[in-house]
Amino acid sequence: MKKRNKFKHFLYLILALAMLVYALPLISFSGGWSWASAFGTAWALFAFLVIGAHLHYLLGVDEEKQKALDRIKAAKLRQWQMKWPEDTQRGQENI
């Protein structure tokens, strides 16, 4: 399942790059700033944002962060489990 998910992101990355390669030469700044050139610039910035997001996912930055969070959660659980017998012992003494 994970392989297919990465394939999907790779495919979308290639498509975004292809659209960007096709569109960048068509954006003209020779006549100064116009609505068409402003739209082309904004569109190119969004395309770069999409490409960056897919690269972020494909490089596995989220997986590393998730592993770090899992280690922190496991450490907190161990601390809580070590403290728990002390709490139950105090509760039995009060009864």
Side-chain angles (χ1 to χ4, degrees):
M1 186 74 172
K2 218 159 182 48
K3 240 183 185 180
R4 181 174 179 233
N5 200 11
K6 288 215 179 208
F7 176 74
K8 178 179 72 170
H9 285 279
F10 182 73
L11 179 67
Y12 292 156
L13 173 70
I14 296 299
L15 286 173
L17 281 170
M19 289 190 311
L20 193 62
V21 167
Y22 176 76
L24 277 180
L26 299 176
I27 300 173
S28 175
F29 297 106
S30 61
W33 281 96
S34 65
W35 286 107
S37 62
F39 175 79
T41 303
W43 185 89
L45 289 175
F46 281 121
F48 282 121
L49 184 67
V50 168
I51 291 167
H54 288 294
L55 281 175
H56 182 267
Y57 182 82
L58 288 173
L59 294 176
V61 176
D62 290 336
E63 292 173 10
E64 293 171 12
K65 188 186 295 184
Q66 188 60 43
K67 286 179 184 177
L69 287 174
D70 289 342
R71 283 193 302 268
I72 292 170
K73 286 179 184 178
K76 285 186 177 186
L77 181 63
R78 280 192 302 272
Q79 287 177 345
W80 182 77
Q81 287 174 343
M82 290 172 58
K83 183 181 175 186
W84 187 60
E86 296 170 6
D87 290 343
T88 57
Q89 204 172 34
R90 278 190 235 150
Q92 289 175 354
E93 290 173 359
N94 291 337
I95 294 178

